[in-house]
Amino acid sequence: MTRKNLSLGCNGRGVMHHAVLPVEEQFRLLRDSGVFDHFDRIPQPGEERAYVEASNRFGVPMTTGLWTYQVGRDEGLLRHNLEWAQRAGAECHNLMILTHHAQGHVVTDDEVVEFYLRAMEEGDRLGITIAAEVHIYMFTEDFRRITPVAEKVRARGVPFNFVLDHSHVLLKIESPEEQDACGIRADVESGRLILDPHEPGNVIDEWLAQNMVVWLQTRPVAPNGPKNTAMTGPGGRYGRACQYPFRRPAPGEWEHDWHAWKVEPSKYVARKVLQHHHDRADSPLRWLTTDMIDMADYGGGVGYSLFEQNVAIAHWLRETWREIAGTDLKAGC
């Protein structure tokens, strides 16, 4: 894969319309769409062989994948996941590192660094790139922690590979409740932390300037947008506002009003990342994914097709790259 030859995948939790499909049907749906290059999924627990066999049968590689890890508990799980990911032909594994250590305390920067470096050693052994994502419920939900951790990793002579899911930044704009969820409200209100990607000095530009984004995940959100009232999460609460339809749902498919302009902030960030990749000869960006998914904080229980929304985003990403670069992304699988 050349630097400009980006691979476009679909998150595994979005390879469905309204309900989870059998493994083979997931791969068939991806292949027949003609718009994706890979499946963003690791072989799932208990179904590892089925995923690897289906990947080979349908010619859809499982190029990227992710899992949630707790420091002090999941070091062995990480090794297991990476070994199965290698069998599926994985190129990148995304670490979602929970905020709290297995012993109960908020995980420290040094503990995160050591977990990341251990993962890098395993990844290097297996030929898999390791990366870490900005995400709710993870240590990275406090955006102020990302650059210090990246600097500590680089000080050890190792690249910090970053997965940018802009939805987890944009949903906190104009939302004191979301800002309070990770303790950033005072810094946002004072201007010490800027979330709006249009404003100078914003946190997404801070990360782009470090030229560390290896993977862009695209899931629209609307700043201070509507919560997912189609499904409740822990404690019977409605899901958080981590997903907004990319295109207008049909009547009866969604419980909220839909406005095209509310998708624009997410498009703006995706364009910005793609432009950065085009302009920087040393850009490390290699993977793109569409991430309209189920679960309470996203699109669990909604009436619109998650996969059709993902296909629409994929077409838009391909068209946007053609506008920027004058070339196509990697051909579909």
Side-chain angles (χ1 to χ4, degrees), residues 265-305:
S266 298
K267 289 183 174 180
Y268 177 76
V269 174
R271 287 192 192 96
K272 181 182 292 221
V273 174
L274 292 175
Q275 189 68 56
H276 173 91
H277 177 62
H278 178 265
D279 294 345
R280 286 284 300 255
D282 58 346
S283 166
L285 184 68
R286 293 181 62 194
W287 303 283
L288 311 174
T289 53
T290 67
D291 286 75
M292 301 293 283
I293 62 175
D294 62 353
M295 302 171 67
D297 294 323
Y298 304 91
V302 298
Y304 58 80
S305 166

Side-chain angles (χ1 to χ4, degrees), residues 13 68 96 98 135-138 141 165 167-168 171-172 177-178 181 219-222 225-245 254 256 291-302 304 306:
R13 300 198 72 106
T68 298
M96 296 171 56
L98 288 164
H135 200 282
I136 58 172
Y137 307 122
M138 309 301 147
E141 185 170 6
D165 183 339
S167 69
H168 295 297
L171 91 161
K172 296 184 181 294
E177 177 184 356
E178 276 295 335
R219 177 196 306 106
V221 297
K227 295 182 179 182
N228 180 22
T229 54
M231 180 180 285
T232 55
R237 296 185 297 272
Y238 286 134
R240 296 167 77 174
C242 297
Q243 184 164 301
Y244 191 88
W254 203 46
H256 309 281
D291 286 75
M292 301 293 283
I293 62 175
D294 62 353
M295 302 171 67
D297 294 323
Y298 304 91
V302 298
Y304 58 80
L306 296 172

Side-chain angles (χ1 to χ4, degrees), residues 14 27 30 76 90 96-97 107 140 160 192 200 250 261 274 287 321 333:
F27 282 91
L30 276 170
M96 296 171 56
I97 301 174
V107 68
T140 52
F160 185 76
R192 290 189 296 271
W261 64 268
L274 292 175
W287 303 283
W321 180 248
C333 57

